């Protein structure tokens, strides 16, 4: 174990001493470690401070949101859990070390697993229920009391501007080799502006959304039941489409997010159906007709946005996401764009499936 950990961990209000501390999980943003002790285990995270600039505001959001969820879970006394942060001896819920790094300590959720790739329909259905329940539990939480931890996070105008600047500046000299991707993005740019337009026109409400609903941000128990939604750093006001769409992106892909063999990449219709069923079982009653109408489209939007962000990072020389090899972000972007094409080919099915679940409130899904 790195010699910095015992001192770091001793600054939090826990009784146990660490025996073993090792890197854990496959997130792209924070540095995550499992802390083993003679008693319970913990999860230590170094918060990526260059991405999350307001750690105090982010921690405030975390405490408010988990507090609200905990009250709901207590009153229903059911299986799901929420994350628990430990305070430091100075009674703050994060620690700033002498190098300027920010750390937090959480309960390690035992007997749980996260997946990078969906393995069966139970996982997809349970994932849909977990993310659906998460938004439902927060539907009465005052969104305006949360800080925006990453401003304009899913703002398509902002993301397109960043991409166009990156392509023009071409600081890593990669744009010439990426003509196909640039054309792919531009061909779809107008279509992708519709959710933000509906929001600006007041036709869909701002809710408290998770905004990073990928498959490995839900923990499942051994039977495949979803037990905890994690990675709460981006919980802030957003549209329901951000959560549903980003989930479909990762819960339905037949290959990994960074699969280089594009022939393996595509949207599995059975996983789409299973996730959607679970999500709507929890949320149908709270969603407005106008929100439901754009759900199928949102899967295309979020696959596009995340592909656009991977691609922009590639053009900028891999400055945002953790990468394992040069070109990793380009591989990820190509995978997203192939997945988006697969969704385009199955869009009629995607729309009709949602319509079939909304028989009591007939809606026609948006888009062609
Ligand atoms: P990142 O922002 O880098 O994605 P996450 O908060 O998602 O960081 O954590 C990374 C991984 O660590 C998760 O995908 C999950 O596998 C694991 N993990 C996170 N929190 C817990 C927890 N409280 N208990 C057990 N495992 C966890
Ligand atoms: C990042 O933190 P992680 O790995 O769950 C990113 C998401 C992307 C995702 C793509 C704060 O999520 O927006 O969708 O990678 N999080 C942030 O895998 O940028
Ligand atoms: Mg994560």
């Amino acid at each position: 174990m790195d010699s910095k950990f015992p001192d770091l961990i001793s600054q939090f209000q826990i009784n146990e001493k660490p025996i073993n501390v090792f890197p854990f999980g496959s997130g792209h943003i924070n540095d995550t470690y499992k802390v083993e002790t003679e008693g319970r285990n913990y999860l230590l995270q170094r918060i990526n401070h260059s991405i999350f600039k307001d750690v105090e505001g982010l921690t405030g959001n975390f405490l408010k949101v988990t507090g609200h969820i905990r009250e709901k879970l207590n009153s229903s006394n059911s299986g799901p859990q929420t994350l628990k942060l430990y305070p430091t001896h100075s009674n703050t819920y994060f620690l700033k070390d002498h190098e300027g790094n920010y750390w937090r300590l959480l309960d390690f959720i035992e007997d749980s697993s996260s997946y990078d790739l969906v393995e069966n329909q139970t996982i997809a259905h349970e994932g849909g229920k977990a993310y659906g329940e998460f938004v439902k539990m927060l539907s009465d939480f005052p969104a305006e009391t949360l800080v925006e931890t990453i401003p304009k996070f899913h703002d398509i105008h902002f993301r397109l501007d960043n991409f166009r600047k990156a392509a023009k500046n071409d600081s890593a000299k990669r744009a010439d080799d990426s003509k196909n991707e640039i054309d792919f993005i531009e061909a779809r740019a107008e279509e992708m502006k519709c959710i933000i337009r509906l929001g600006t026109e007041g036709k869909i409400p701002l809710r408290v959304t998770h905004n990073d609903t990928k498959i490995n941000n839900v923990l499942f128990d051994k039977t495949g039941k979803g037990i905890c939604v994690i990675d709460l750093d981006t919980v802030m006001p957003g549209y329901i489409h951000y959560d549903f769409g980003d989930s479909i992106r990762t819960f339905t892909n037949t290959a990994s997010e960074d699969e280089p063999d594009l022939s393996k990449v595509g949207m599995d219709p059975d996983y789409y159906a299973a996730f959607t069923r679970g999500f709507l079982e929890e949320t149908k009653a709270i969603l407005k007709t106008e929100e439901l109408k754009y759900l199928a489209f949102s899967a295309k939007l979020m696959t596009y946005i995340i592909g656009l962000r991977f691609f922009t990072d590639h053009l900028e020389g891999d400055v945002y996401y953790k990468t394992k090899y040069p070109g990793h972000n380009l591989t990820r972007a190509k995978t997203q764009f192939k997945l988006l094409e697969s969704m385009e080919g199955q869009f009629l099915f995607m729309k009709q499936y949602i319509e079939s679940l909304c028989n009591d409130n007939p809606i026609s899904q948006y888009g062609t």
Side-chain angles (χ1 to χ4, degrees):
M1 149 172 55
D2 188 314
S3 59
K4 70 173 178 277
F5 286 127
D7 176 52
L8 198 68
I9 291 165
S10 74
Q11 300 185 54
F12 287 89
Q13 293 186 33
I14 62 169
N15 297 322
E16 302 90 342
K17 304 249 172 308
I19 299 173
N20 203 4
V21 179
F22 54 90
F24 196 79
S26 54
H28 297 336
I29 304 296
N30 295 314
D31 293 338
T32 302
Y33 302 87
K34 182 174 181 183
V35 178
E36 293 179 340
T37 76
E38 273 179 358
R40 63 188 322 148
N41 297 320
Y42 297 90
L43 195 96
L44 178 71
Q45 285 189 313
R46 186 165 72 110
I47 303 166
N48 188 325
H49 176 51
S50 65
I51 290 179
F52 295 108
K53 303 212 184 300
D54 178 7
V55 175
E56 199 171 337
L58 174 153
T59 307
N61 282 5
F62 193 116
L63 293 169
K64 285 180 197 162
V65 163
T66 52
H68 188 84
I69 292 177
R70 196 164 293 114
E71 271 178 27
K72 301 229 159 169
L73 292 176
N74 281 346
S75 53
S76 71
N77 212 12
S78 56
Q81 313 180 23
T82 191
L83 293 175
K84 180 181 164 192
L85 277 179
Y86 285 84
T88 63
H89 292 294
S90 330
N91 285 318
T92 56
Y93 284 83
F94 63 85
L95 175 78
K96 189 172 181 188
D97 70 16
H98 56 272
E99 288 168 359
N101 293 310
Y102 290 82
W103 298 87
R104 68 182 163 210
L105 193 71
L106 301 104
D107 249 347
F108 187 85
I109 301 188
E110 299 291 351
D111 302 318
S112 68
S113 314
S114 65
Y115 298 84
D116 289 323
L117 194 58
V118 72
E119 288 184 358
N120 53 55
Q121 286 190 34
T122 304
I123 296 297
H125 181 240
E126 283 291 323
K129 280 181 22 185
Y131 278 132
E133 189 188 24
F134 183 85
V135 186
K136 188 173 71 180
M137 286 192 291
L138 291 168
S139 61
D140 59 348
F141 185 90
E144 66 284 359
T145 64
L146 297 178
V147 303
E148 233 188 322
T149 55
I150 302 184
K152 301 186 180 178
F153 192 47
H154 292 317
D155 181 328
I156 186 68
H157 298 288
F158 174 66
R159 295 299 177 189
L160 281 167
D161 281 354
N162 287 352
F163 151 69
R164 287 175 182 143
K165 274 184 211 144
K168 189 161 172 250
N169 293 343
D170 197 15
S171 58
K173 299 276 165 273
R174 289 172 163 177
D176 281 350
D177 295 336
S178 310
K179 180 113 186 35
N180 289 345
E181 285 70 39
I182 293 175
D183 291 347
F184 184 98
I185 291 167
E186 290 297 357
R188 289 159 180 78
E190 274 315 301
E191 176 195 1
M192 298 299 166
K193 294 176 183 166
C194 92
I195 295 296
I196 224 155
R197 189 179 312 124
L198 289 170
T200 313
E201 290 168 356
K203 293 186 177 147
I204 53 170
L206 266 182
R207 300 180 169 278
V208 178
T209 46
H210 182 285
N211 298 303
D212 189 4
T213 50
K214 62 195 239 193
I215 182 168
N216 67 18
N217 286 331
V218 186
L219 300 179
F220 296 87
D221 73 10
K222 286 196 185 95
T223 68
K225 247 190 158 7
I227 48 172
C228 190
V229 169
I230 61 168
D231 204 346
L232 305 179
D233 298 330
T234 52
V235 177
M236 55 185 158
Y239 301 115
I240 193 69
H241 306 93
Y242 298 158
D243 281 7
F244 181 77
D246 198 28
S247 301
I248 296 300
R249 177 181 77 82
T250 54
F251 273 92
T252 69
N253 193 348
T254 50
S256 305
E257 188 178 65
D258 58 355
E259 172 60 56
D261 179 353
L262 293 182
S263 69
K264 294 185 179 159
V265 176
M267 190 197 81
D268 182 307
D270 293 331
Y271 293 152
Y272 173 81
F275 183 92
T276 303
R277 234 175 22 251
F279 191 82
L280 285 180
E281 275 163 28
E282 295 293 335
T283 56
K284 207 171 76 172
I286 62 159
L287 295 183
K288 304 202 178 329
T289 304
E290 210 59 16
E291 292 178 293
L292 289 166
K293 262 168 74 176
Y294 290 82
L295 278 190
F297 168 77
S298 73
K300 295 201 287 184
L301 169 68
M302 293 313 291
T303 306
Y304 177 88
I305 287 201
I306 305 302
L308 178 65
R309 288 175 55 203
F310 284 143
F311 186 63
T312 304
D313 199 29
H314 171 70
L315 291 176
E316 289 178 338
D318 307 322
V319 292
Y320 185 92
Y321 292 104
K322 289 182 184 170
T323 51
K324 295 197 174 124
Y325 56 87
H328 197 172
N329 274 314
L330 179 61
T331 305
R332 288 169 172 152
K334 285 182 173 174
T335 305
Q336 304 314 300
F337 296 152
K338 174 70 197 303
L339 180 62
L340 174 51
E341 281 176 335
S342 168
M343 290 174 180
E344 288 171 346
Q346 301 183 76
F347 195 49
L348 187 60
F349 155 74
M350 293 168 73
K351 294 194 295 184
Q352 286 175 344
Y353 189 74
I354 292 181
E355 284 164 14
S356 76
L357 297 178
C358 297
N359 278 339
D360 46 338
N361 168 19
I363 51 156
S364 181
Q365 286 287 296
Y366 163 85
T368 47

